[in-house]
PDB file of all heavy atoms in Angstrom:
ATOM      1  N   PRO X  85      11.175  11.533   9.469  1.00 95.00           N
ATOM      2  CA  PRO X  85      10.898  10.621  10.500  1.00 95.00           C
ATOM      3  C   PRO X  85       9.826   9.681  10.284  1.00 95.00           C
ATOM      4  O   PRO X  85       8.897  10.015   9.648  1.00 95.00           O
ATOM      5  CB  PRO X  85      10.595  11.562  11.736  1.00 95.00           C
ATOM      6  CG  PRO X  85      10.229  12.855  11.131  1.00 95.00           C
ATOM      7  CD  PRO X  85      10.888  12.932   9.750  1.00 95.00           C
ATOM      8  N   GLY X  86       9.979   8.470  10.776  1.00 97.00           N
ATOM      9  CA  GLY X  86       9.073   7.331  10.568  1.00 97.00           C
ATOM     10  C   GLY X  86       9.149   6.212  11.492  1.00 97.00           C
ATOM     11  O   GLY X  86      10.024   6.306  12.435  1.00 97.00           O
ATOM     12  N   LEU X  87       8.495   5.149  11.223  1.00 98.00           N
ATOM     13  CA  LEU X  87       8.638   4.032  12.059  1.00 98.00           C
ATOM     14  C   LEU X  87       8.644   2.664  11.265  1.00 98.00           C
ATOM     15  O   LEU X  87       8.045   2.682  10.112  1.00 98.00           O
ATOM     16  CB  LEU X  87       7.298   3.910  12.975  1.00 98.00           C
ATOM     17  CG  LEU X  87       6.972   5.101  13.929  1.00 98.00           C
ATOM     18  CD1 LEU X  87       5.549   4.972  14.339  1.00 98.00           C
ATOM     19  CD2 LEU X  87       7.992   5.047  14.989  1.00 98.00           C
ATOM     20  N   MET X  88       9.402   1.714  11.777  1.00 98.00           N
ATOM     21  CA  MET X  88       9.383   0.458  11.046  1.00 98.00           C
ATOM     22  C   MET X  88       8.424  -0.453  11.894  1.00 98.00           C
ATOM     23  O   MET X  88       8.690  -0.477  13.196  1.00 98.00           O
ATOM     24  CB  MET X  88      10.837  -0.132  11.005  1.00 98.00           C
ATOM     25  CG  MET X  88      11.694   0.641  10.009  1.00 98.00           C
ATOM     26  SD  MET X  88      11.079   0.392   8.282  1.00 98.00           S
ATOM     27  CE  MET X  88      11.369  -1.246   8.003  1.00 98.00           C
ATOM     28  N   VAL X  89       7.575  -1.159  11.145  1.00 98.00           N
ATOM     29  CA  VAL X  89       6.632  -2.097  11.917  1.00 98.00           C
ATOM     30  C   VAL X  89       6.738  -3.464  11.287  1.00 98.00           C
ATOM     31  O   VAL X  89       7.186  -3.711  10.214  1.00 98.00           O
ATOM     32  CB  VAL X  89       5.136  -1.539  11.707  1.00 98.00           C
ATOM     33  CG1 VAL X  89       5.013  -0.157  12.406  1.00 98.00           C
ATOM     34  CG2 VAL X  89       4.877  -1.615  10.300  1.00 98.00           C
ATOM     35  N   ASN X  90       6.164  -4.332  12.208  1.00 98.00           N
ATOM     36  CA  ASN X  90       5.786  -5.722  11.546  1.00 98.00           C
ATOM     37  C   ASN X  90       4.503  -5.507  11.047  1.00 98.00           C
ATOM     38  O   ASN X  90       3.496  -5.348  11.550  1.00 98.00           O
ATOM     39  CB  ASN X  90       5.678  -6.692  12.778  1.00 98.00           C
ATOM     40  CG  ASN X  90       7.087  -7.202  13.187  1.00 98.00           C
ATOM     41  OD1 ASN X  90       7.937  -7.414  12.336  1.00 98.00           O
ATOM     42  ND2 ASN X  90       7.223  -7.422  14.520  1.00 98.00           N
ATOM     43  N   ARG X  91       4.628  -5.637   9.634  1.00 98.00           N
ATOM     44  CA  ARG X  91       3.374  -5.236   8.821  1.00 98.00           C
ATOM     45  C   ARG X  91       2.187  -6.310   9.100  1.00 98.00           C
ATOM     46  O   ARG X  91       1.028  -5.743   9.222  1.00 98.00           O
ATOM     47  CB  ARG X  91       3.760  -5.230   7.303  1.00 98.00           C
ATOM     48  CG  ARG X  91       2.653  -4.966   6.415  1.00 98.00           C
ATOM     49  CD  ARG X  91       1.877  -3.693   6.628  1.00 98.00           C
ATOM     50  NE  ARG X  91       0.700  -3.782   5.870  1.00 98.00           N
ATOM     51  CZ  ARG X  91       0.576  -3.542   4.548  1.00 98.00           C
ATOM     52  NH1 ARG X  91       1.559  -3.171   3.817  1.00 98.00           N
ATOM     53  NH2 ARG X  91      -0.608  -3.672   3.883  1.00 98.00           N
ATOM     54  N   ALA X  92       2.490  -7.508   9.325  1.00 98.00           N
ATOM     55  CA  ALA X  92       1.407  -8.435   9.527  1.00 98.00           C
ATOM     56  C   ALA X  92       0.634  -8.102  10.834  1.00 98.00           C
ATOM     57  O   ALA X  92      -0.554  -8.039  10.918  1.00 98.00           O
ATOM     58  CB  ALA X  92       1.866  -9.874   9.559  1.00 98.00           C
ATOM     59  N   ALA X  93       1.543  -7.851  11.788  1.00 98.00           N
ATOM     60  CA  ALA X  93       1.034  -7.366  13.117  1.00 98.00           C
ATOM     61  C   ALA X  93       0.173  -6.147  13.095  1.00 98.00           C
ATOM     62  O   ALA X  93      -0.870  -6.004  13.713  1.00 98.00           O
ATOM     63  CB  ALA X  93       2.088  -7.463  14.139  1.00 98.00           C
ATOM     64  N   PHE X  94       0.724  -5.227  12.243  1.00 98.00           N
ATOM     65  CA  PHE X  94      -0.077  -3.960  12.025  1.00 98.00           C
ATOM     66  C   PHE X  94      -1.402  -4.178  11.466  1.00 98.00           C
ATOM     67  O   PHE X  94      -2.579  -3.623  12.028  1.00 98.00           O
ATOM     68  CB  PHE X  94       0.730  -3.023  11.131  1.00 98.00           C
ATOM     69  CG  PHE X  94       0.192  -1.748  10.802  1.00 98.00           C
ATOM     70  CD1 PHE X  94       0.481  -0.645  11.619  1.00 98.00           C
ATOM     71  CD2 PHE X  94      -0.773  -1.523   9.850  1.00 98.00           C
ATOM     72  CE1 PHE X  94      -0.151   0.744  11.244  1.00 98.00           C
ATOM     73  CE2 PHE X  94      -1.313  -0.290   9.533  1.00 98.00           C
ATOM     74  CZ  PHE X  94      -0.891   0.826  10.252  1.00 98.00           C
ATOM     75  N   ASP X  95      -1.526  -5.018  10.461  1.00 98.00           N
ATOM     76  CA  ASP X  95      -2.810  -5.218   9.708  1.00 98.00           C
ATOM     77  C   ASP X  95      -3.756  -6.093  10.774  1.00 98.00           C
ATOM     78  O   ASP X  95      -4.941  -5.767  10.858  1.00 98.00           O
ATOM     79  CB  ASP X  95      -2.722  -6.058   8.502  1.00 98.00           C
ATOM     80  CG  ASP X  95      -2.042  -5.194   7.323  1.00 98.00           C
ATOM     81  OD1 ASP X  95      -1.411  -4.087   7.670  1.00 98.00           O
ATOM     82  OD2 ASP X  95      -1.898  -5.653   6.152  1.00 98.00           O
ATOM     83  N   GLN X  96      -3.036  -6.967  11.489  1.00 98.00           N
ATOM     84  CA  GLN X  96      -3.900  -7.782  12.323  1.00 98.00           C
ATOM     85  C   GLN X  96      -4.492  -7.003  13.535  1.00 98.00           C
ATOM     86  O   GLN X  96      -5.538  -7.207  13.969  1.00 98.00           O
ATOM     87  CB  GLN X  96      -3.147  -8.960  12.929  1.00 98.00           C
ATOM     88  CG  GLN X  96      -2.793 -10.001  11.851  1.00 98.00           C
ATOM     89  CD  GLN X  96      -1.695 -10.991  12.221  1.00 98.00           C
ATOM     90  OE1 GLN X  96      -1.015 -10.894  13.282  1.00 98.00           O
ATOM     91  NE2 GLN X  96      -1.132 -11.727  11.244  1.00 98.00           N
ATOM     92  N   ALA X  97      -3.613  -5.933  14.061  1.00 98.00           N
ATOM     93  CA  ALA X  97      -4.122  -5.156  15.143  1.00 98.00           C
ATOM     94  C   ALA X  97      -5.380  -4.309  14.603  1.00 98.00           C
ATOM     95  O   ALA X  97      -6.374  -4.229  15.436  1.00 98.00           O
ATOM     96  CB  ALA X  97      -3.007  -4.271  15.606  1.00 98.00           C
ATOM     97  N   LEU X  98      -5.230  -3.718  13.528  1.00 98.00           N
ATOM     98  CA  LEU X  98      -6.423  -3.033  12.925  1.00 98.00           C
ATOM     99  C   LEU X  98      -7.773  -3.840  12.792  1.00 98.00           C
ATOM    100  O   LEU X  98      -8.792  -3.441  13.241  1.00 98.00           O
ATOM    101  CB  LEU X  98      -6.186  -2.542  11.579  1.00 98.00           C
ATOM    102  CG  LEU X  98      -5.665  -1.020  11.465  1.00 98.00           C
ATOM    103  CD1 LEU X  98      -5.375  -0.724   9.921  1.00 98.00           C
ATOM    104  CD2 LEU X  98      -6.815  -0.023  11.889  1.00 98.00           C
ATOM    105  N   ALA X  99      -7.528  -4.991  12.273  1.00 98.00           N
ATOM    106  CA  ALA X  99      -8.684  -5.931  12.047  1.00 98.00           C
ATOM    107  C   ALA X  99      -9.286  -6.290  13.510  1.00 98.00           C
ATOM    108  O   ALA X  99     -10.387  -6.372  13.683  1.00 98.00           O
ATOM    109  CB  ALA X  99      -8.194  -7.205  11.362  1.00 98.00           C
TER     110      ALA X  99
END
Side-chain angles (χ1 to χ4, degrees):
L87 301 167
M88 288 296 291
V89 294
N90 278 323
R91 172 65 194 274
F94 179 92
D95 290 8
Q96 286 161 10
L98 257 177

